[in-house]
Amino acid sequence: MKSLRMCCNCRKMFYKDELIRIVRNKENLFLIDKTKKINGRGAYICSECRKEDLKKRKVLNKSFKCNVPENIYDDIKVEEC
Ligand SMILES: [Zn+2]
């Protein structure tokens, strides 16, 4: 069964394979989780929101309640998933 996840920018629900997952792992490092299986707190961004200026609005900082490195925001834009 496919599971739905919420895009942390537009707050709409999507299937996991339509989203890019960002995760904070055990070492407190932020990663783009292509496997969507890395343990840790995760946040999802949909394909439409990826085109938006998430860095300016610091969308992930709100989700993770801490400072997400700027390069993660850059990676979201260029990452193939
Ligand atoms: Zn979205």
Side-chain angles (χ1 to χ4, degrees):
M1 199 180 79
K2 279 187 164 186
S3 50
L4 287 163
R5 291 288 182 276
M6 189 173 71
C7 169
C8 65
N9 185 53
C10 64
R11 310 248 158 210
K12 291 180 201 154
M13 302 300 283
F14 296 89
Y15 290 117
K16 262 178 150 178
D17 54 9
E18 298 173 87
L19 297 157
I20 190 164
R21 182 172 190 246
I22 302 94
V23 68
R24 184 172 63 197
N25 70 8
K26 290 193 294 281
E27 288 81 38
N28 276 322
L29 292 170
F30 287 93
L31 305 163
I32 306 287
D33 178 13
K34 284 185 183 178
T35 66
K36 298 189 172 82
K37 283 173 185 158
I38 297 174
N39 282 327
R41 186 180 164 79
Y44 296 85
I45 300 283
C46 74
S47 55
E48 278 304 307
C49 291
R50 283 173 65 187
K51 299 170 196 159
E52 290 184 21
D53 199 349
L54 302 170
K55 197 197 290 190
K56 200 164 129 193
R57 296 179 46 216
K58 298 190 187 303
V59 170
L60 292 174
N61 296 27
K62 286 172 197 155
S63 288
F64 287 104
K65 298 184 175 65
C66 69
N67 247 337
V68 176
E70 293 218 336
N71 67 296
I72 294 295
Y73 286 99
D74 296 332
D75 288 349
I76 290 168
K77 290 215 160 184
V78 298
E79 195 68 46
E80 293 293 325
C81 70

